[in-house]
Amino acid sequence: MHEMGIVKGILDAAEETARRSSATRINEVHVRIGDLTEIVDEALHFAFEALSPGTLAEGATLVVERVAPRSKCAACDATFSHGRFDAVCPECGGFVCELLEGRELAIDCIDIDLPGDETPEEPA
Amino acid sequence: MKVDVSKPILDRNERLAAENRELFAEHDVFVLDVLASPGAGKTSTILATIAALRDRYSIAVIEGDIASSVDAEKIKAHGVPAVQINTGGACHLESDMIRRAVDTLDLGAIDLLIIENVGNLVCPTDFDLGEHAKVMILSVPEGHDKPYKYPNIFARAEAVILNKYDTLPVFDFDEEEFRSVVTSLNAAAPVFPISATKGNGVEAWAAWLTGRIEAMREGAA
């Protein structure tokens, strides 16, 4: 969909945090993406490669953690995991559910080098 | 060294959406975000909605398109304030665009603000604009199998409008299957068959929207 805009958001937040820590470079950016968003991993990596040069995250690895949908049944309070579009309670068959996880679009953490950090990039 | 960030990626959009929501609440404006593919009849449905509700509510429209102001002109020709946003290629509207458009409107004089999003069944679903409800329009010629192909938008809409219902006899559209897939994706969403340009079926849709607006007002009061 709009992975370019998403990656712009990722880079802005990563650089802001890195600058606050006086980092010299960003080695890894960890993001959590819910399966219910319309984000495609390949397009995300492509956009990251295209937009990161010239930023502190140039050459950094984008690590994507996918979050599977989980919901809570409104009828019987059971919580359960499900696919993208089949939220049906396995306990009572109810399909009025409150989504607990699955729509994440979040930056978890970054791995950075600080001034004087001469250690080469660690393997992921 | 690992440093915690813990921030939404669309942080900026979400913060601005929350600001929009506060602004709308301050002025008691109900905001409807209308999603559909190009040609499904978004503008015609908005015009039919205006015709049904203009005696009861003061209405304004924000039109989102990649280019041109033809839609805003159509709305204005009916004596309703309209602001055109040109995204210049972007496939969806974002909160800051809505804010800039809203700043040109007199919110104090508006009860219902209708946002016509860019014609697209994918991107607009992930962007909160500060609206009270997202609704989607599918037109009969697009086919009853669309919910299989674009499930997310059907799952997120509060109501589904089935437009161009008068063309049902000439298209191979299985209404029963369509309704059953929509229900499996989104049990709570009502389906309103309408023919926007003829005005058929608009009463039920307008009654639902009125119910939502009044519920917001009671909540605000």
Side-chain angles (χ1 to χ4, degrees):
Chain A
M1 50 154 198
H2 33 258
E3 280 78 358
M4 283 289 184
I6 299 289
V7 166
K8 182 95 185 22
I10 294 174
L11 287 170
D12 285 351
E15 279 208 293
E16 192 193 317
T17 305
R19 290 231 160 78
R20 224 181 294 133
S21 313
S22 311
T24 52
R25 60 162 286 162
I26 300 171
N27 301 315
E28 287 174 6
V29 180
H30 292 252
V31 296
R32 293 197 309 130
I33 309 285
D35 281 344
L36 293 180
T37 63
E38 299 279 12
I39 301 283
V40 180
D41 281 6
E42 279 171 20
L44 202 62
H45 286 290
F46 176 79
F48 190 79
E49 274 172 39
L51 295 176
S52 55
T55 72
L56 285 173
E58 179 163 355
T61 307
L62 179 68
V63 183
V64 180
E65 183 199 335
R66 279 279 170 176
V67 183
R70 264 169 51 78
S71 288
K72 181 176 167 186
C73 175
C76 76
D77 274 356
T79 63
F80 59 96
S81 299
H82 52 86
R84 284 190 77 193
F85 302 109
D86 51 0
V88 177
C89 176
E91 301 295 327
C92 74
F95 49 110
V96 178
C97 310
E98 179 199 350
L99 188 74
L100 303 174
E101 290 174 12
R103 243 192 259 293
E104 290 76 2
L105 260 180
I107 312 176
D108 246 1
C109 63
I110 53 175
D111 185 87
I112 54 171
D113 281 350
L114 294 176
D117 246 351
E118 294 303 319
T119 45
E121 195 179 334
E122 285 173 52
Chain B
M1 184 179 87
K2 279 231 158 52
V3 182
D4 185 49
V5 184
S6 300
K7 244 179 152 182
I9 294 171
L10 296 175
D11 193 34
R12 184 169 171 274
N13 187 65
E14 274 157 41
R15 267 186 291 118
L16 292 173
E19 278 180 35
N20 286 350
R21 196 165 275 124
E22 269 175 40
L23 190 67
F24 299 145
E26 212 173 285
H27 294 280
D28 252 349
V29 182
F30 185 89
V31 182
L32 182 73
D33 183 14
V34 178
L35 312 176
S37 22
K42 289 185 291 301
T43 311
S44 306
T45 300
I46 289 170
L47 285 172
T49 308
I50 289 170
L53 294 178
R54 70 185 307 164
D55 290 343
R56 179 161 191 167
Y57 300 118
S58 144
I59 305 173
V61 178
I62 294 176
E63 285 286 342
D65 280 297
I66 286 176
S68 91
S69 60
V70 291
D71 280 353
E73 298 307 326
K74 270 188 226 165
I75 303 286
K76 281 185 198 163
H78 288 78
V80 171
V83 189
Q84 181 78 48
I85 298 175
N86 282 142
T87 62
C91 47
H92 59 273
L93 294 174
E94 296 191 19
S95 300
D96 59 340
M97 304 177 193
I98 297 301
R99 180 52 191 268
R100 285 198 297 275
V102 162
D103 282 343
T104 69
L105 293 167
D106 178 9
L107 277 189
I110 298 169
D111 304 316
L112 169 62
L113 176 62
I114 304 176
I115 300 171
E116 178 177 335
N117 217 310
V118 179
N120 181 332
L121 294 183
V122 185
C123 309
T125 54
D126 282 341
F127 286 84
D128 186 1
L129 304 177
E131 76 279 349
H132 294 88
K134 284 189 194 293
V135 295
M136 77 94 49
I137 306 170
L138 183 86
S139 62
V140 166
E142 291 172 80
H144 59 264
D145 53 1
K146 277 289 175 296
Y148 292 116
K149 301 178 185 179
Y150 301 92
N152 213 3
I153 195 163
F154 287 90
R156 297 209 72 172
E158 271 192 40
V160 176
I161 293 171
L162 180 58
N163 192 25
K164 307 186 190 177
Y165 194 64
D166 53 328
T167 67
L168 202 63
V170 291
F171 286 97
D172 182 20
F173 188 97
D174 187 334
E175 186 181 351
E176 201 179 317
E177 184 175 352
F178 174 73
R179 283 178 180 270
S180 104
V181 188
V182 170
T183 303
S184 73
L185 292 169
N186 189 341
V191 176
F192 298 107
I194 71 165
S195 304
T197 54
K198 302 202 165 66
N200 302 337
V202 175
E203 309 80 20
W205 149 245
W208 178 87
L209 182 56
T210 303
R212 283 291 278 111
I213 296 170
E214 293 306 316
M216 178 211 71
R217 294 182 156 195
E218 278 160 32

